[in-house]
Amino acid sequence: MSIDQYKISNEPYYQPVSNEIDLYEAAYQARMPMMLKGPTGCGKSRFVEYMAWKLGRPLITVACNEDMTASDLVGRFLLDVDGTKWQDGPLTRAARIGAICYLDEVVEARQDTTVVIHPLTDHRRQLPLDKKGEMVEAHADFQLVISYNPGYQSLMKDLKQSTKQRFGALDFDYPEEQTETEIVARESGVDPETAGKLVQIAHRARNLKGHGLDEGISTRLLVYAGQLISKGIEPVAACTMTMVVPLTDDPDMRDTLNAAVHTFFG
Ligand SMILES: Nc1ncnc2c1ncn2[C@@H]1O[C@H](COP(=O)(O)OP(=O)(O)OP(=O)(O)O)[C@@H](O)[C@H]1O
Ligand SMILES: [Mg+2]
């Protein structure tokens, strides 16, 4: 069980948008479980990677989905040549080694899965391995972080209050213009002027959220567009491929988005 494989050796590039770094650091000092809320592709995962690096903690990330069971998080007995052998799941491993455990899109998991985090996220800081008959006491440095996209939840799928109220929470959103332009230029290698145009197109598309688009163009997609342009792809083609086609199949909506692209890269 090596800690080093989960350590982040190089500083991840993270551009702060507010005082989130200080707030998170204080929350970590209190070992407070944290919930990061915000739309897809706005920097939540990058922030956790950065904070794990800054705090010098290993990071174990788990992408949650609706087929996930508690055993996928906690662990299970596996058959091998000598019979059965217990294998820790990612949550158990993180609790033992004192990692930051990031459960990405935890709302996707079924409620019987989410309740396994309850004893870990209150004063007990314990994880019962019922099948194994072991009570794991979390390492002093362990912290649980979950992400949550407020747009996607149906009432059925939302987290229970008894789960939500175990976390401190930070709101994330697409960064303001200047910051986002810097991020896109830095991450994709395009010049600031081109990055600025990509951000402008995104602003137009973001106004269409709820008016035919489920979600605006994410910072991630702007970085994708910039990466293609950096590789010599003509901007309109790059934008179509990364900022129009992924978002919608509706022909009218595509026309609207293409018009925004042509406004800036005519
Ligand atoms: N503040 C930021 N600093 C540096 N890069 C950023 C920042 N915000 C967004 N990015 C860029 O946007 C990309 C997407 O961000 P990230 O993967 O963190 O999104 P996310 O919020 O975790 O999305 P999802 O909910 O889909 O997992 C990153 O790979 C990075 O290039
Ligand atoms: Mg993410």
Side-chain angles (χ1 to χ4, degrees), residues 6 45 48-49 58-64 90 94 100-104:
Y6 300 110
S45 294
V48 176
E49 286 159 22
L59 175 66
I60 298 182
T61 298
V62 188
C64 301
I100 292 176
C101 186
Y102 182 42
L103 302 182
D104 209 350

Side-chain angles (χ1 to χ4, degrees), residues 8-191:
I8 297 168
S9 42
N10 297 317
E11 176 174 355
Y13 166 63
Y14 180 73
Q15 182 73 47
V17 296
S18 173
N19 58 345
E20 71 274 23
I21 295 178
D22 289 346
L23 292 173
Y24 189 100
E25 255 185 316
Y28 180 75
Q29 299 317 334
R31 299 301 184 268
M32 186 188 294
M34 284 298 293
M35 167 158 43
L36 310 182
K37 295 185 165 190
T40 183
C42 73
K44 302 183 295 296
S45 294
R46 182 62 68 85
F47 176 67
V48 176
E49 286 159 22
Y50 174 79
M51 291 311 304
W53 171 83
K54 193 162 196 283
L55 296 163
R57 298 318 310 158
L59 175 66
I60 298 182
T61 298
V62 188
C64 301
N65 65 65
E66 57 193 342
D67 298 325
M68 203 170 76
T69 63
S71 304
D72 293 323
L73 280 181
V74 165
R76 54 168 55 89
F77 283 105
L78 295 178
L79 278 177
D80 70 4
V81 277
D82 316 310
T84 58
K85 190 168 139 239
W86 175 263
Q87 187 175 48
D88 281 344
L91 182 63
T92 310
R93 200 172 311 134
R96 288 194 207 274
I97 68 173
I100 292 176
C101 186
Y102 182 42
L103 302 182
D104 209 350
E105 282 298 319
V106 74
V107 210
E108 290 299 323
R110 295 193 318 252
Q111 285 192 348
D112 54 320
T113 310
T114 20
V115 294
V116 306
I117 66 182
H118 282 200
L120 261 183
T121 47
D122 54 34
H123 64 281
R124 291 171 282 178
R125 287 178 61 89
Q126 290 173 331
L127 180 60
L129 308 179
D130 293 337
K131 287 184 186 142
K132 189 167 182 255
E134 180 186 345
M135 183 64 83
V136 177
E137 305 287 338
H139 187 289
D141 295 334
F142 169 79
Q143 186 200 25
L144 187 70
V145 185
I146 63 176
S147 78
Y148 178 102
N149 186 322
Y152 300 162
Q153 275 72 57
S154 62
L155 265 180
M156 284 301 291
K157 257 205 164 165
D158 201 359
L159 293 177
K160 296 197 289 191
Q161 281 294 333
S162 59
T163 305
K164 284 184 182 173
Q165 296 203 19
R166 299 178 124 76
F167 293 84
L170 288 171
D171 273 331
F172 282 74
D173 206 342
Y174 314 120
E176 54 83 31
E177 188 171 340
Q178 192 55 44
T179 308
E180 192 169 34
T181 302
E182 250 177 80
I183 292 169
V184 173
R186 158 86 193 241
E187 286 281 281
S188 70
V190 293
D191 57 79

Side-chain angles (χ1 to χ4, degrees), residues 220-264:
R220 177 186 295 127
L221 288 179
L222 300 185
V223 171
Y224 282 0
Q227 286 170 338
L228 294 180
I229 295 169
S230 290
K231 298 242 174 288
I233 300 295
E234 188 272 312
V236 172
C239 290
T240 305
M241 182 169 156
T242 55
M243 295 162 66
V244 178
V245 180
L247 259 73
T248 177
D249 299 317
D250 179 73
D252 290 340
M253 195 46 70
R254 284 191 177 189
D255 284 348
T256 308
L257 292 171
N258 278 317
V261 170
H262 280 278
T263 307
F264 294 94

